[in-house]
């Protein structure tokens, strides 16, 4: 669509206010004669309303900057539309454009009737001719992971498959147990705690591009060489497929010229979960909150009320259930789904007691590690690879030479003690993320390691 606007075959560009921060959009609009900005949902300019959006406040600055860079004598016209603004909100909108662009907006009001619109009843016809499968398995015991994974292993699955759980911890355990059963499983993860730019693989790619201040365009030769280097270097990374997808999507978005500013904006605005692509031979595991906007042919849900104080609300439950296209199977304990009635629903009461898994895993986050201690282990971290296996004790992770890689935080040590009381003891770990990090108000940057830590059930009892 950008190319159509650029070559003149399209004369209307429909974008969100957030997109105006992109250098690609700015360059595109600088190359065309912009005859008018038309802004919908203009009530979002007002901080008095619940729909206030910060990026609406940037629109005036963008238009002013665009006019200055184009050396325009006449102001680019602006039209604003809203159906929900009260008088004080309309005053806010007018004051905003008067202050930012010295524009006096003419206010045109109409009544709320829409005589030109007619309602017509049109029956909603299903795309599929037959109903899908809906099965609810109600458990009495606290451990749902074992029966859920057993059910996935025994179910005939065609198409894509997603597994949704209440919590990150539940999702992580499901993924690990599926892999132990010999199934290909991936956890849909996010990088909420760190910028994608700080991930070791992305930082290495950026360094190979040598993006100095003098460079505005990345040449094809430099791009291809940097891509070859990073893919060869990190072929054993657990993030390798995401890295491939990230590179491919940037290339597809910028097939002709790769501007440095576009690359920087692309990395800054991207998250790990943006680059998951689904295949039939892999089971994707996620929390319910991360499943929004995704669809799978088969969806398994695990709702363990013992692992979620508030449990999921009705809206989240609806969103999770509607991720399924062909088959929906829910494993839960409690009674909050007892009232569900629908055609073809199969309900199974499972009163069996399932023992907890023999092995548990935890993905460490920033709050699970002693961050300042990494200043002492930079030499050890430099020698690590993603294939490195780490030793674990109650306080730390060590390399094969018994040199400290990291120390656990006080909070995680409390988690370790809680697991030990349940009969699980830390046994090993593997490197999952290596991230560049620095303390606030400090310039020195160091590398930190966020591994997966594995616990095994003590065979001899406590």
């Amino acid at each position: 669509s950008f190319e159509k606007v650029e070559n003149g075959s399209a004369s209307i560009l429909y974008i969100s206010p957030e997109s105006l921060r992109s250098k690609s959009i700015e360059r595109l609009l600088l190359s065309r004669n912009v005859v008018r900005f038309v802004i919908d949902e203009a009530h979002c300019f007002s901080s008095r309303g619940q729909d206030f959006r910060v990026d609406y406040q940037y629109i005036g600055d963008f238009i002013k900057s665009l006019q200055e860079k184009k050396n325009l004598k006449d102001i680019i016209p602006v039209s604003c539309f809203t159906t929900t603004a009260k008088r004080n909100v309309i005053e806010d909108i007018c004051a905003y454009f008067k202050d930012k662009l010295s524009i006096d907006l003419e206010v045109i009001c109409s009544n709320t009737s829409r005589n030109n619109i007619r309602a017509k009843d049109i029956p909603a016809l299903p795309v599929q001719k037959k109903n899908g499968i809906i099965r609810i398995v109600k458990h009495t015991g606290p451990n749902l992971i074992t029966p859920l994974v057993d059910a996935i292993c025994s179910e005939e699955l065609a198409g894509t498959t997603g597994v949704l759980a209440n919590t990150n911890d539940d999702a992580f355990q499901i993924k690990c147990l599926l892999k132990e059963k010999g199934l290909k499983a991936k956890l849909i993860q996010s990088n909420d705690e760190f910028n994608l730019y700080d991930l070791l693989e992305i930082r290495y790619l950026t360094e190979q591009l040598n993006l100095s201040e003098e460079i505005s365009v990345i040449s094809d030769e430099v791009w291809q060489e940097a891509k070859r280097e990073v893919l060869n270097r990190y072929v054993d990374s657990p993030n390798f497929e995401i890295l491939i997808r990230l590179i491919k999507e940037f290339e597809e978005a910028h097939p002709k010229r790769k501007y440095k500013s576009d690359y920087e904006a692309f990395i800054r605005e991207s998250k790990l979960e943006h680059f998951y692509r689904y295949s039939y031979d892999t089971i994707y595991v996620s929390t319910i909150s991360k499943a929004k906007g995704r669809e799978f042919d088969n969806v398994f849900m695990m709702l363990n009320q013992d692992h979620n104080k508030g449990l999921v609300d009705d809206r989240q439950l609806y969103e999770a259930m509607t991720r399924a296209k062909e088959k929906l199977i829910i494993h839960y304990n409690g009674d909050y789904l007892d009232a569900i009635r629908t055609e073809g629903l199969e309900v199974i009461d499972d009163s069996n007691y399932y023992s907890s898994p023999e092995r548990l895993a935890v993905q460490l986050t920033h709050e699970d590690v002693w961050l300042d201690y990494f200043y002492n282990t930079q030499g050890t971290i430099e020698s690590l690879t993603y294939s490195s296996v780490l030793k674990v004790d109650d306080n730390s992770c060590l390399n094969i030479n018994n040199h400290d890689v990291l120390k656990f935080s006080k909070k995680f040590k409390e988690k370790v003690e809680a697991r030990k009381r349940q009969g699980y003891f830390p046994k090993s770990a593997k490197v999952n993320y290596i991230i560049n990090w620095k303390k606030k108000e400090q310039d020195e940057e160091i590398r930190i390691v966020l591994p997966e830590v594995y616990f095994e059930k003590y065979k001899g009892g406590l």
Side-chain angles (χ1 to χ4, degrees):
S1 59
F2 281 13
E3 289 183 14
K4 290 181 179 179
V5 175
E6 195 171 30
N7 63 30
S9 60
S11 56
I12 297 176
L13 178 63
Y14 184 82
I15 58 175
S16 67
E18 290 78 7
S19 299
L20 293 178
R21 297 186 183 276
S22 167
K23 292 295 183 182
S24 300
I25 295 294
E26 182 186 49
R27 263 194 307 275
L28 188 64
L29 296 182
L30 284 171
S31 69
R32 293 297 309 273
N33 177 30
V34 180
V35 297
R36 181 174 295 272
F37 280 90
V38 181
I39 304 165
D40 196 15
E41 309 291 352
H43 52 274
C44 296
F45 280 108
S46 176
S47 58
R48 308 187 201 202
Q50 63 178 0
D51 295 324
F52 172 65
R53 284 166 64 184
V54 174
D55 284 284
Y56 268 76
Q57 297 292 308
Y58 178 66
I59 293 176
D61 295 326
F62 179 85
I63 296 174
K64 184 177 181 180
S65 173
L66 190 72
Q67 291 176 162
E68 291 172 350
K69 291 179 179 180
K70 289 168 104 34
N71 295 317
L72 297 178
K73 295 180 179 179
D74 297 325
I75 296 172
I76 301 174
V78 173
S79 298
C80 297
F81 293 87
T82 177
T83 60
T84 60
K86 296 181 180 179
R87 180 163 297 279
N88 59 346
V89 174
I90 293 174
E91 291 173 355
D92 287 347
I93 298 169
C94 292
Y96 173 85
F97 283 98
K98 180 67 174 178
D99 177 59
K100 293 287 186 179
L101 299 171
S102 300
I103 293 176
D104 292 310
L105 292 180
E106 180 184 359
V107 179
I108 302 173
C109 299
S110 64
N111 59 41
T112 56
S113 64
R114 296 291 185 269
N115 297 325
N116 60 323
I117 298 177
R118 297 287 184 271
K120 182 179 180 181
D121 291 332
I122 300 176
L125 300 176
V127 176
Q128 298 177 181
K129 299 299 182 184
K130 62 178 182 179
N131 291 334
I133 294 172
I134 305 176
R135 185 183 308 141
I136 296 178
V137 184
K138 183 177 179 179
H139 297 271
T140 56
N143 176 34
L144 305 187
I145 292 179
T146 301
L148 172 75
V149 171
D150 288 345
I152 295 171
C153 292
S154 61
E155 191 76 24
E156 290 187 11
L157 300 176
T160 56
T161 301
V163 184
L164 311 180
N166 300 51
T167 66
N168 287 317
D169 188 55
D170 282 343
F172 204 78
Q173 306 311 325
I174 293 168
K175 184 266 294 187
C176 292
L177 191 53
L178 284 169
K179 294 184 77 170
E180 286 186 15
K181 296 284 187 178
L183 298 178
K184 189 176 180 181
K186 288 186 178 180
L187 183 69
I188 298 176
Q189 300 186 83
S190 180
N191 56 299
D192 294 334
E193 287 196 328
F194 60 90
N195 295 322
L196 201 59
Y197 171 70
D198 294 326
L199 189 65
L200 181 64
E201 298 91 318
I202 305 303
R203 182 65 65 88
Y204 184 79
L205 172 62
T206 305
E207 289 171 353
Q208 298 306 302
L209 293 173
N210 191 25
L211 302 177
S212 62
E213 292 183 3
E214 297 78 20
I215 294 175
S216 60
V217 179
I218 304 169
S219 70
D220 290 339
E221 294 79 12
V222 169
W223 176 259
Q224 293 299 329
E225 179 61 25
K227 182 172 71 171
R228 185 162 46 250
E229 286 288 333
V230 73
L231 294 180
N232 287 338
R233 187 181 182 93
Y234 294 108
V235 67
D236 65 339
S237 166
N239 309 305
F240 185 70
E241 290 185 22
I242 290 174
L243 181 62
I244 291 176
R245 191 68 208 177
L246 179 147
I247 291 171
K248 184 177 181 181
E249 289 200 9
F250 181 73
E251 291 175 335
E252 290 173 348
H254 306 279
K256 293 183 178 179
R257 282 195 171 189
K258 297 172 179 61
Y259 289 96
K260 177 180 75 170
S261 55
D262 289 339
Y263 172 80
E264 291 170 341
F266 180 79
I267 297 299
R268 184 174 61 251
E269 296 165 6
S270 296
K271 287 186 172 292
L272 285 175
E273 63 261 37
H274 296 167
F275 303 104
Y276 286 95
R277 294 298 179 269
Y278 307 117
S279 59
Y280 293 165
D281 66 340
T282 302
I283 297 172
Y284 296 88
V285 188
S286 168
T287 59
I288 289 173
S289 61
K290 290 190 180 76
K292 187 175 181 180
R294 308 177 192 275
E295 284 188 335
F296 302 93
D297 295 302
N298 315 291
V299 169
F300 292 82
M301 291 174 58
M302 191 186 86
L303 303 172
N304 193 335
Q305 66 177 4
D306 295 335
H307 293 181
N308 193 356
K309 295 178 182 178
L311 205 58
V312 292
D313 59 31
D314 290 344
R315 179 184 57 81
Q316 290 175 309
L317 198 59
Y318 171 80
E319 285 182 354
M321 289 179 175
T322 54
R323 300 310 92 201
K325 294 193 288 185
E326 298 284 347
K327 187 178 293 185
L328 173 65
I329 301 174
I330 302 173
H331 288 252
Y332 87 113
N333 50 18
D335 55 11
Y336 47 92
L337 299 183
D338 288 356
I340 291 181
R341 298 288 185 274
T342 189
E343 182 182 353
L345 172 64
E346 179 186 4
V347 179
I348 299 173
D349 287 311
D350 189 344
S351 59
N352 293 318
Y353 178 83
Y354 295 92
S355 59
S356 56
E358 296 295 317
R359 198 172 188 231
L360 297 179
V362 178
Q363 171 59 57
L364 269 58
T365 66
H366 283 69
E367 67 178 15
D368 296 320
V369 294
W370 180 6
L371 291 168
D372 281 349
Y373 191 77
F374 282 110
Y375 285 98
N376 304 316
T377 61
Q378 291 301 289
T380 306
I381 292 174
E382 284 288 339
S383 63
L384 287 180
T385 67
Y386 280 111
S387 60
S388 299
V389 176
L390 304 179
K391 301 178 182 180
V392 180
D393 59 28
D394 292 349
N395 300 302
S396 59
C397 289
L398 308 94
N399 67 4
I400 56 173
N401 298 318
N402 293 320
H403 295 151
D404 281 343
V405 173
L406 63 89
K407 292 282 190 184
F408 299 142
S409 66
K410 180 180 178 181
K411 183 174 183 179
F412 188 71
K413 284 192 279 190
E414 291 172 354
K415 292 180 183 179
V416 171
E417 291 303 315
R419 291 292 188 192
K420 288 167 68 175
R421 289 192 292 272
Q422 297 170 348
Y424 291 95
F425 291 78
K427 290 296 180 182
S428 64
K430 75 170 185 177
V431 179
N432 217 16
Y433 298 115
I434 302 177
I435 300 164
N436 291 278
W437 173 84
K438 65 180 179 180
K439 295 180 71 171
K440 289 182 179 179
E441 301 178 357
Q442 287 194 11
D443 294 330
E444 183 183 1
E445 191 174 65
I446 61 173
R447 289 182 180 177
I448 69 172
V449 177
L450 299 178
E452 289 183 21
V453 176
Y454 300 98
F455 294 77
E456 291 184 6
K457 189 182 289 186
Y458 183 53
K459 304 294 185 181
L462 293 175

